[in-house]
Amino acid sequence: DRISEWEKKEKIHTFLSLANDYIPFEMNMNQRALELIGFGFGSMDALHISAAEYAKADCFVTCDDQILRVAKKNRDFINTRILSVLQLFEEIYHDNN
C-alpha cells in the first residue's frame, strides 16, 4: 500500500493474488529483521527476508542487486538462500534437464 504509482501497485496486487500462502506477521520476525538490518539490508527488505526465514522458504528471489550483494557477503548468517531471478531460472532449467 506504500507504493504511490498506481500502475505498479496494480501489477503487484495482481501478482499477490496468485499467492497460495501468506505469512502472518510475528513479533520474532521483527527482531530478526533488526538483526538483518545490522548486516546492511534495508528495513523492508530485512522484514521480507525475515518472513522467508520464518516460513522456511526454499529461497528468497529478488532482482535487487543491493540485496544480492549484502546476502552474498553475509550468507553464513542468513537462514534462507537468496537468489537472483536468473539464478532461480538456471536452477529450474538444470533440474529439468
Side-chain angles (χ1 to χ4, degrees), residues 37-93:
I37 289 168
F39 295 132
F41 292 104
S43 58
M44 290 306 292
D45 299 331
L47 192 55
H48 290 133
I49 294 166
S50 175
E53 289 180 343
Y54 179 82
K56 297 182 179 14
D58 294 330
C59 60
F60 178 92
V61 180
T62 184
C63 54
D64 186 317
D65 290 335
Q66 177 66 20
I67 293 173
L68 293 166
R69 276 192 294 276
V70 175
K72 184 176 181 178
K73 185 172 129 181
N74 297 286
R75 81 179 106 221
D76 293 338
F77 307 104
I78 301 169
N79 301 317
T80 193
R81 295 179 331 137
I82 298 181
L83 304 174
S84 70
V85 175
L86 180 59
Q87 289 170 315
L88 176 66
F89 285 133
E90 287 174 349
E91 283 193 16
I92 291 169
Y93 176 78

